[in-house]
């Protein structure tokens, strides 16, 4: 899995022009779609490069990408553009309640949701429309919380992709080494003794600024890390801070649903899990366990060279990540 294979690997080795991570690429188009209840969700689309290696009949296939908690697709423009250059028809979307798709709490910076199944419903609704509009094979990809919601949708039988790619998925959360039922009970109590929409942890003292030591959790690449602050300064609607206690409680509840006996075992879609032992935000152990439980699960593991945001790591580490994804897709979802 670490050897360069497939159209994507060839593209990376061909010396293609670097992606400007601080501009919407010329081929991409930003717009909105409406969820089942009319909530407006932001999206960005690339048509695919028909002359790319591996592209046939105008596209290699189609990738639908979802970012993590408090995230925005602007952070992943580099990877999305590279997939486009490799011939994929690419779409990325916000989750409702974050980035440019509104808020669900009582302020503009705290991330809140009533239940993770709300996001599963949005994903299922968007998936049905998107697969009718785009050529196959159809790939679902997500980072962190995005990976969790994709896995919940798979377990609930709400989506049927040809293959799935999960970058540092939140299949379990980092935190105190206590039993999951105990962690959930504490979070549930916190939603009952106060407003569940209140932030669950402290944020930066300066509104809109990122906490000083946050980079040590996310990436070894200061340039890519700085891109996030650039987009927050440029597009103020992207600013988001801590999650609410309601989010934390619902996250534990959803984690328990994935841990339930037989849940992951019934997912027969090829799933690639990219995870790092150095992750302090999500549970690497849960990701390893999930890869073993999934009938067609595959794990690519990284060490201290990689923090949580694998798609935004240093050039050397990120190249390994992108090669692993390319090789997996060439095998699990070859062109039709």
């Amino acid at each position: 899995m670490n050897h360069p294979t497939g159209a994507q690997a060839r593209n990376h080795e061909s010396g293609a022009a670097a992606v400007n991570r601080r501009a919407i690429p010329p081929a991409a188009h930003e717009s909105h779609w409406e969820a089942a209840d009319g909530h407006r969700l932001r999206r960005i689309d690339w048509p695919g490069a028909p002359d790319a290696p591996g592209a046939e009949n105008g596209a290699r296939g189609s990738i639908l990408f979802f970012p993590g908690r408090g995230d925005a697709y602007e952070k992943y423009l580099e990877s999305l553009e590279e997939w486009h250059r490799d011939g994929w028809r690419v779409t990325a979307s916000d989750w409702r309640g974050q980035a440019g798709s509104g808020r669900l709490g009582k302020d503009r910076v705290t991330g809140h949701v009533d239940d993770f199944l709300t996001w599963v419903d949005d994903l299922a609704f968007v998936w049905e429309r998107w697969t009718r509009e785009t050529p196959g094979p159809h790939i679902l990809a997500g980072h962190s919380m995005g990976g969790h919601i994709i896995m919940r949708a798979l377990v609930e039988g709400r989506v049927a992709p040809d293959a799935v790619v999960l970058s540092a998925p939140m299949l379990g959360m980092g935190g105190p080494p206590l039993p999951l039922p105990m962690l959930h009970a504490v979070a549930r109590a916190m939603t009952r003794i106060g407003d569940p929409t209140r932030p669950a942890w402290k944020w930066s003292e300066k509104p809109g600024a990122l906490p000083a030591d946050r980079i040590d959790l996310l990436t070894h690449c200061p340039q890519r890390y700085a891109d996030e602050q650039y987009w927050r300064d440029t597009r103020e609607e992207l600013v988001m801070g801590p999650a609410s206690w309601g989010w934390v409680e619902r996250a534990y509840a959803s984690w328990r649903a994935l841990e339930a006996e037989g849940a992951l075992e019934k997912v027969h879609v090829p799933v690639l899990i990219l995870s790092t032992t150095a992750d302090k935000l999500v549970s690497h152990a849960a990701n390893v366990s999930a890869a073993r439980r999934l009938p067609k699960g595959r794990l690519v593991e990284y060490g201290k060279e990689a923090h949580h945001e694998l798609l935004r790591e240093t050039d050397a580490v990120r190249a390994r990540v992108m090669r692993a994804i390319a090789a997996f897709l060439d095998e699990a979802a070859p062109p039709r």
Side-chain angles (χ1 to χ4, degrees), residues 13-88:
E13 294 176 347
S14 67
V19 177
N20 182 354
R21 302 188 303 267
R22 299 188 179 189
I24 300 300
H29 172 66
E30 294 182 283
S31 61
H32 292 82
W33 44 21
E34 289 190 356
D37 62 356
H39 191 104
R40 280 168 57 84
L41 303 173
R42 204 176 53 131
R43 65 186 283 181
I44 184 170
D45 292 88
W46 284 254
D51 57 346
E56 297 180 8
N57 299 322
R60 160 71 174 82
S62 301
I63 297 176
L64 178 58
F65 177 85
F66 288 90
R69 192 208 72 80
D71 249 351
Y73 58 63
E74 284 86 347
K75 289 173 59 175
Y76 304 94
L77 290 174
E78 184 174 23
S79 298
L80 300 171
E81 169 69 9
E82 288 177 358
W83 287 328
H84 154 73
R85 292 180 183 183
D86 293 330
W88 292 94

Side-chain angles (χ1 to χ4, degrees), residues 61-64 88 127 130-140 160-164 333 336:
S62 301
I63 297 176
L64 178 58
W88 292 94
W127 175 259
W130 179 79
T131 52
R132 285 191 283 108
E133 299 169 353
T134 58
H138 291 104
I139 312 303
L140 258 178
D162 292 294
V164 173
R336 293 176 182 170

